[in-house]
Amino acid sequence: MSFEEKTTEVSQDLKCQGCGAILAYQPGTSYLKCAYCGTENQIKESELTNQVISPVDYEEFTAAMQDIHDARFTVAAEVVHCQNCGANSTLDPHVTADLCAFCASPLVIDHQEKRIVKPHGVIPFFIEENKAFPLFKKWAGGLWFAPNDFKRIFSAQNNRLKGVYIPFWSYDAEASSSYEGQRGEYYYVTRTRRTADGKTETYEEQQTRWYYASGRVFNRFKDVIVSASTSLPNNFASKIGPWNMEYLKPFNDQYLSGFIAETFSIDHVAGAHAAKKIMDDVIADTVRSDIGGDTQRIDDIDSVYKDIRLKYILLPVWLSAYRYKGKSYQIMVNAFNGKVYGQRPYSFWKIALLILFVIILVVLLSQMG
């Protein structure tokens, strides 16, 4: 796809210099390639440099989002809305029919233009589809208790992997936290007890002395990443990561050519709340370390966050969405590190037969004993 100021015109950077066709970015390379004549268009060298992508101030970004026409943060693009799952995605301008990458439902494509938030950065696809599919198939082949007809679906899945850029918010922040709690120190008391054979034995019983503790800790956070998509499972972001942010490049729509890019459905405000929960867990660990001792109790933490900054980024996934007995399932391959995560149905009869087999085995073993 490409983010264009005019959707009726395709950027010359995305056109084949040989035949004029729309080019597609080749994963793991620095060029776009024509599927028809093989011509390669090199992505401009200046856009390949490892320049630092500076996050924007949270409050400044919030103010800018009040006006979706603010050219500093938005661009015009064609967005396709799935009537079934609600996903909003951008497609290549020449696509006239397709299935939703997230639920496999037919899309009604009318190429309507709207303004969307422009990403700050992107990690380009690194793993090609022909390398992602064996990872996908290996995962599917290892599923226990999957219905037989479900497994047959996977044998025909090789044409249904879609390259999708998933939206994420990345947050930086500093946090100063005051706390009150208790430090526990173990000590041992000798006890006696009577054993099953009537004898008396001694043992050491662990007990804890508690001491009041208070203090202040400081944390600096960088690139706390949370999903900006509601089209995928809530826990997929943690399951398919981690992402190496050193490979994040300044946004360039040439990296998106030939792929689908989902637009965010969780805004930066809701994303910040999710990021804060992640930061709070880290702060709690820091507090426990500061309290010390053998164990700790935390009674209260009061954190003040400052210098909150963010980036809106796109991360690459090979995605397969399919329907089985009226329900949608999704399998994802991290297109950077090859990690696979997916949803799957279970066969009631296979599980029931296993339980029956175990019961019979236990009965036979008891009889032999």
Side-chain angles (χ1 to χ4, degrees):
M1 65 73 62
S2 64
F3 289 102
E4 302 294 336
E5 291 302 325
K6 293 183 178 180
T7 56
T8 55
E9 299 179 5
V10 178
S11 168
Q12 292 299 314
D13 292 332
L14 303 180
K15 284 187 177 181
C16 175
Q17 297 171 356
C19 66
I22 296 177
L23 303 173
Y25 171 67
Q26 297 300 294
T29 74
S30 60
Y31 58 81
L32 295 85
K33 188 173 183 178
C34 180
Y36 301 99
C37 68
T39 297
E40 298 176 358
N41 279 19
Q42 192 74 18
I43 297 177
K44 294 178 182 179
E45 186 66 27
S46 61
E47 295 170 327
L48 289 174
T49 55
N50 294 323
Q51 65 187 83
V52 176
I53 304 173
S54 299
V56 298
D57 180 78
Y58 179 85
E59 298 299 336
E60 177 187 2
F61 189 80
T62 300
M65 289 302 96
Q66 302 300 315
D67 181 10
I68 196 61
H69 297 287
D70 190 327
R72 293 177 301 165
F73 298 104
T74 65
V75 291
E78 293 179 356
V79 179
V80 178
H81 177 75
C82 177
Q83 298 292 338
N84 182 57
C85 71
N88 292 310
S89 307
T90 57
L91 300 174
D92 282 321
H94 66 285
V95 174
T96 57
D98 204 349
L99 296 178
C100 176
F102 299 93
C103 69
S105 299
L107 290 173
V108 177
I109 302 175
D110 57 4
H111 292 293
Q112 291 188 4
E113 183 180 285
K114 62 182 294 186
R115 292 201 72 83
I116 62 174
V117 176
K118 181 180 179 180
H120 300 108
V122 56
I123 292 183
F125 272 74
F126 182 76
I127 296 176
E128 297 177 339
E129 182 179 6
N130 60 4
K131 294 181 180 179
F133 182 68
L135 298 172
F136 166 85
K137 197 170 183 179
K138 181 181 179 181
W139 176 87
L143 296 178
W144 285 47
F145 307 120
N148 291 331
D149 54 344
F150 169 80
K151 286 195 172 185
R152 283 193 289 270
I153 293 176
F154 287 101
S155 64
Q157 285 293 107
N158 53 327
N159 293 322
R160 296 188 60 186
L161 281 182
K162 291 181 178 290
V164 182
Y165 282 99
I166 306 298
F168 285 80
W169 297 107
S170 173
Y171 297 90
D172 298 351
E174 295 181 356
S176 178
S177 309
S178 59
Y179 69 85
E180 292 185 355
Q182 300 175 63
R183 180 180 69 257
E185 296 182 355
Y186 296 148
Y187 67 97
Y188 296 87
V189 176
T190 301
R191 303 289 190 188
T192 60
R193 62 189 171 193
R194 191 174 297 278
T195 62
D197 58 4
K199 295 181 178 181
T200 300
E201 67 175 12
T202 61
Y203 68 98
E204 298 295 311
E205 181 182 82
Q206 177 182 290
Q207 295 189 0
T208 306
R209 290 190 181 94
W210 293 100
Y211 302 92
Y212 174 78
S214 65
R216 181 178 294 275
V217 296
F218 178 80
N219 288 86
R220 179 177 286 109
F221 297 95
K222 181 174 177 57
D223 288 322
V224 177
I225 299 174
V226 297
S227 171
S229 170
T230 56
S231 305
L232 297 175
N234 291 332
N235 60 347
F236 98 95
S238 59
K239 296 290 186 181
I240 205 169
W243 301 90
N244 190 335
M245 298 302 288
E246 292 182 2
Y247 289 85
L248 187 71
K249 296 181 178 293
F251 178 74
N252 183 340
D253 64 358
Q254 293 179 74
Y255 290 122
L256 276 60
S257 186
F259 299 96
I260 297 167
E262 185 188 14
T263 59
F264 71 82
S265 48
I266 298 174
D267 66 20
H268 70 289
V269 178
H273 288 300
K276 184 176 179 294
K277 291 181 180 179
I278 297 173
M279 297 179 196
D280 285 345
D281 289 340
V282 174
I283 291 171
D285 289 339
T286 305
V287 167
R288 291 188 184 94
S289 179
D290 196 63
I291 290 176
D294 297 312
T295 187
Q296 306 82 31
R297 290 174 178 168
I298 299 176
D299 299 321
D300 181 66
I301 299 178
D302 183 17
S303 297
V304 177
Y305 290 89
K306 64 178 183 178
D307 196 24
I308 303 175
R309 303 176 71 80
L310 63 82
K311 295 190 291 283
Y312 175 41
I313 60 177
L314 300 178
L315 302 179
V317 168
W318 287 107
L319 176 64
S320 177
Y322 55 93
R323 299 186 69 81
Y324 179 75
K325 293 188 175 180
K327 186 176 179 180
S328 294
Y329 295 88
Q330 298 162 326
I331 300 104
M332 291 148 276
V333 180
N334 184 318
F336 181 79
N337 63 20
K339 192 172 182 180
V340 183
Y341 170 70
Q343 301 168 308
R344 44 76 58 87
Y346 288 86
S347 169
F348 168 80
W349 294 111
K350 286 186 177 181
I351 296 174
L353 287 172
L354 176 65
I355 295 173
L356 180 61
F357 172 78
V358 172
I359 292 174
I360 293 174
L361 183 63
V362 170
V363 171
L364 290 175
L365 289 174
S366 64
Q367 291 176 347
M368 290 174 62

